[in-house]
Amino acid sequence: AEHWSSVGARGAPDIDIFAYAKLHHYVILTQDLDFGDLLAVDRGTRPSVAIIRSVGLRPEAIGAQVIDALHQAEAELLNGAMVAIDPSRLRVRTLPL
């Protein structure tokens, strides 16, 4: 895992993060719903995006659930997917959208 701040400029536009992740075959883990829009416009199969849809984001509150969801959706994320991680369920859509 790499945090954007270690590879890119703070405050960079989402499209820069998206392009970097696409180039390096990374999965974007975010709360930002704009990445779903970028996937829809791009119509590509990369990068995969996992969106956390939760109010409580402290690792002790949601960390185990996020890790579990990433494991459950691993195959799809490796092949191109958008994953929504909600407190009560996991939704997976394969790319392109």
Side-chain angles (χ1 to χ4, degrees):
E2 249 181 331
H3 194 276
W4 173 252
S5 64
S6 69
V7 296
R10 184 178 178 156
D14 291 344
I15 192 70
D16 290 355
I17 298 167
F18 186 87
Y20 185 86
K22 186 175 189 175
L23 177 67
H24 294 282
H25 301 277
Y26 284 168
V27 174
I28 297 172
L29 179 62
T30 186
Q31 256 194 293
D32 189 340
L33 299 178
D34 291 343
F35 285 100
D37 295 339
L38 290 172
L39 284 173
V41 169
D42 185 69
R43 299 183 149 276
T45 58
R46 294 278 188 275
S48 289
V49 176
I51 300 173
I52 300 170
R53 305 283 310 253
S54 177
V55 176
L57 294 175
R58 296 183 56 84
E60 53 276 356
I62 195 170
Q65 180 187 0
V66 170
I67 291 169
D68 212 30
L70 294 174
H71 282 296
Q72 286 179 44
E74 181 178 7
E76 292 88 349
L77 288 167
L78 290 173
N79 290 309
M82 183 173 75
V83 174
I85 304 168
D86 288 289
S88 60
R89 65 183 175 147
L90 173 69
R91 290 177 287 154
V92 179
R93 293 185 61 191
T94 57
L95 301 179
L97 296 180

